[in-house]
């Protein structure tokens, strides 16, 4: 019920793509196909609206849609979601869009294109929807089967169709920007003005409508090279009516979702060099059963200091343990054996330089933090 009401009864997500089933308790369960309705419900149930003048939230998680798998599209996929509640001002639109653009830029995507549109509000959109419906009826013989069904139920989805023949037909369709009321036109102009101020490049595309029913006014998509036809990596917009629709007070809002799988697939197609695992901070070699308690205590102590640490648990030879330290790309190796237990000190090896010293246990965090041995006075006495 949440997604039928929030996402929209006539959207492809609700009609064809949701995983809905009856569980063993006889309850209807749906795997979330997108995040915004869930976030709105969570805010309403927990009284988050009103705690701040503008409430900003973000999340990362899995979504599920029964869709035809394509490049970068999976039936279980990951999204980064961003939502901002409380402001109808165009400056908030610009801030959210700038954040989305910065996100895809900083991860290293190339061939980025930001497309922007306004789909009006519940005052000016109905006239456009009716004219679009009449346009669809005049071209019914040229449209795909899905779009023929959409003519009556949700004409704006005609603009979202990826079928080539439908895209050709819709090039001649009425343009939403010609129908905007004065308030929506002014809002859209201000959004563009702010994006220009922030040096965010964009193109106005009146065919961008997004596939969700709750959008109002600003909608946008960001595409990237490498994914073919399904090249959108970020999509979002304003949804000023959704909170009220779900039982809350009228609350302006907007947000976006970034597809992590698509971003990674696009980066791979562009030949991006992904960061290499830099290894762990310290491997602890254990020589003899008596050394294990000391090693375990040291490993725990270093982890609590924020270091990544592995230790030996199999009782192997020092040579075998050092091979493991190399495989783990350990920056240092701490060796604890009979001699160390007697002296109360630990043998620490710098795996880069090969230098090896006998040190107090308390010195190790300082050496790890410095990235090498030093004769300076910053270590504890």
């Amino acid at each position: 019920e949440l997604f039928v009401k929030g996402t929209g009864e006539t959207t492809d997500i609700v009609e064809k793509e949701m995983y809905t089933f009856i569980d063993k308790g006889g309850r209807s369960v749906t795997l979330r196909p997108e995040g915004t309705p869930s976030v709105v419900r969570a805010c309403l149930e927990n009284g988050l609206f009103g705690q701040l003048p503008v409430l900003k939230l973000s999340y990362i998680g899995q979504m599920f849609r029964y869709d035809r798998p394509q490049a970068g599209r999976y039936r279980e996929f990951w999204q980064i979601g961003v939502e901002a509640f409380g402001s109808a001002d165009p400056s908030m639109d610009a801030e959210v869009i700038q954040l989305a653009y910065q996100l895809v830029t900083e991860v290293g995507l190339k061939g980025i294109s930001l497309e922007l549109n306004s789909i009006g509000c519940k005052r000016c959109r109905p006239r456009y929807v009716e004219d679009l419906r009449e346009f669809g009826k005049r071209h019914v013989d040229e449209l795909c089967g899905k779009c023929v069904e959409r003519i009556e139920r949700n004409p704006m989805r005609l603009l979202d169709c990826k079928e080539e023949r439908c895209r050709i037909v819709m090039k001649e369709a009425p343009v939403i920007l010609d129908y905007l009321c004065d308030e929506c036109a002014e809002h859209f102009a201000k959004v563009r003005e702010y994006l220009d101020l922030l040096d965010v490049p964009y193109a106005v595309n009146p065919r961008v409508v997004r596939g969700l029913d709750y959008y109002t006014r600003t909608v946008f998509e960001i595409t990237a090279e490498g994914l073919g036809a399904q090249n959108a990596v970020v999509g979002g917009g304003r949804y000023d009516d959704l909170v009220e629709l779900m039982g809350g007070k009228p609350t302006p809002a907007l947000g976006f979702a970034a597809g992590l799988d698509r971003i990674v697939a696009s980066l791979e197609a562009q030949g991006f060099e992904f960061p290499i695992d830099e290894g762990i901070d310290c491997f602890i070699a254990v020589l003899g059963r008596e050394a294990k308690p000391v090693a375990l205590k040291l490993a725990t102590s270093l982890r609590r200091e924020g270091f990544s640490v592995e230790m030996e648990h199999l009782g192997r030879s020092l040579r075998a343990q050092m091979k493991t330290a190399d495989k783990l790309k350990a920056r240092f190796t701490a060796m604890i054996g009979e001699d160390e237990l007697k002296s109360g000190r630990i043998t620490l090896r710098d795996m880069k330089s090969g230098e090896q010293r006998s040190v107090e246990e308390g010195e190790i965090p300082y050496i790890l933090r410095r990235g090498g041995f030093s004769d300076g006075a910053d270590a504890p006495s």
Side-chain angles (χ1 to χ4, degrees):
E1 291 85 355
L2 172 71
F3 295 107
V4 170
K5 190 173 185 180
T7 303
E9 191 172 355
T10 60
T11 61
D12 282 357
I13 291 175
V14 170
E15 285 189 325
K16 301 171 183 176
E17 298 172 5
M18 284 204 309
Y19 283 93
T20 299
F21 56 92
I22 304 300
D23 72 1
K24 292 183 179 180
R27 294 162 296 199
S28 176
V29 176
T30 294
L31 303 181
R32 63 184 179 198
E34 54 127 351
T36 301
S38 300
V39 171
V40 172
R41 178 176 63 179
C43 290
L44 289 171
E45 289 182 348
N46 294 281
L48 297 186
F49 295 131
Q51 289 190 9
L52 288 169
V54 175
L55 176 66
K56 296 178 180 179
L57 302 171
S58 64
Y59 51 92
I60 301 176
Q62 300 106 308
M63 309 295 164
F64 303 84
R65 296 182 194 172
Y66 187 84
D67 201 357
R68 183 163 57 92
Q70 296 180 31
R73 176 193 280 177
Y74 306 99
R75 289 174 176 170
E76 177 184 9
F77 57 98
W78 286 75
Q79 282 187 344
I80 297 174
V82 166
E83 318 287 356
F85 301 94
S87 174
D89 195 273
S91 61
M92 183 57 66
D93 301 53
E95 183 177 295
V96 169
I97 294 170
Q98 190 279 331
L99 172 60
Y101 190 81
Q102 184 175 345
L103 170 67
V104 296
T105 302
E106 289 195 4
V107 298
L109 280 175
K110 298 176 182 176
I112 297 168
S113 177
L114 167 61
E115 295 189 334
L116 189 67
N117 190 25
S118 174
I119 56 172
C121 64
K122 55 189 176 185
R123 293 187 300 276
C124 57
R125 193 188 307 154
R127 187 166 65 91
Y128 173 70
V129 169
E130 191 52 43
D131 284 358
L132 193 59
R133 180 178 286 116
E134 292 303 315
F135 175 85
K137 288 178 180 178
R138 292 197 301 271
H139 295 272
V140 66
D141 294 335
E142 304 166 60
L143 299 172
C144 71
K146 284 184 180 180
C147 283
V148 171
E149 295 175 8
R150 290 165 175 161
I151 290 173
E152 289 298 333
R153 302 189 68 186
N154 193 344
M156 289 193 71
R157 293 302 316 286
L158 298 173
L159 298 166
D160 203 32
C161 185
K162 300 298 186 286
E163 293 283 343
E164 186 60 29
R165 58 174 168 164
C166 295
R167 293 170 77 98
I168 292 172
V169 171
M170 297 314 293
K171 286 181 180 179
E172 305 301 322
V175 175
I176 181 66
L177 298 177
D178 296 333
Y179 292 74
L180 298 182
C181 62
D182 291 344
E183 287 184 19
C184 286
E186 182 181 351
H187 184 277
F188 191 47
K190 272 292 183 184
V191 172
R192 302 197 307 274
E193 183 181 316
Y194 285 130
L195 289 175
D196 291 338
L197 177 70
L198 299 176
D199 294 323
V200 177
Y202 64 88
V204 175
N205 182 355
R207 309 300 175 195
V208 173
V209 293
R210 304 296 301 147
L212 308 174
D213 281 0
Y214 51 65
Y215 284 122
T216 56
R217 291 189 171 175
T218 307
V219 289
F220 68 95
E221 285 185 349
I222 300 177
T223 60
E225 294 175 351
L227 293 177
Q230 297 290 339
N231 59 351
V233 291
V234 176
R238 182 167 280 283
Y239 50 96
D240 292 340
D241 302 325
L242 183 58
V243 176
E244 185 178 12
L245 176 68
M246 293 178 61
K249 296 178 181 178
T251 306
L254 78 153
F256 68 80
L260 287 184
D261 307 279
R262 286 195 181 187
I263 288 173
V264 170
S266 184
L267 287 169
E268 288 176 339
Q270 294 176 12
F272 179 80
E273 292 189 15
F274 289 89
I276 297 170
D277 181 9
E278 295 181 355
I280 63 172
D281 294 312
C282 186
F283 179 81
I284 302 176
V286 182
L287 306 172
R289 184 173 297 177
E290 293 78 9
K292 190 162 287 184
V294 178
L296 187 61
K297 187 177 178 182
L298 175 61
T300 302
S301 174
L302 291 175
R303 287 168 183 156
R304 286 173 177 166
E305 291 269 355
F307 298 106
S308 52
V309 181
E310 291 291 348
M311 65 169 279
E312 173 68 11
H313 289 282
L314 301 177
R316 298 174 300 161
S317 68
L318 177 60
R319 184 177 180 181
Q321 293 184 53
M322 295 305 289
K323 284 185 178 179
T324 298
D326 282 333
K327 284 185 179 180
L328 292 171
K329 300 176 185 175
R331 181 66 184 83
F332 290 89
T333 296
M335 290 170 273
I336 304 174
E338 186 177 344
D339 291 343
E340 286 75 21
L341 292 175
K342 286 180 180 178
S343 67
R345 297 171 68 86
I346 291 170
T347 302
L348 189 67
R349 177 180 293 183
D350 184 327
M351 299 296 282
K352 280 187 178 179
S353 68
E355 184 180 0
Q356 188 169 298
R357 294 188 185 184
S358 176
V359 299
E360 296 284 348
E361 181 178 333
E363 293 180 79
I364 295 177
Y366 294 86
I367 297 170
L368 265 57
R369 202 163 279 123
R370 281 195 306 261
F373 296 111
S374 171
D375 295 321
D378 55 342
S381 58

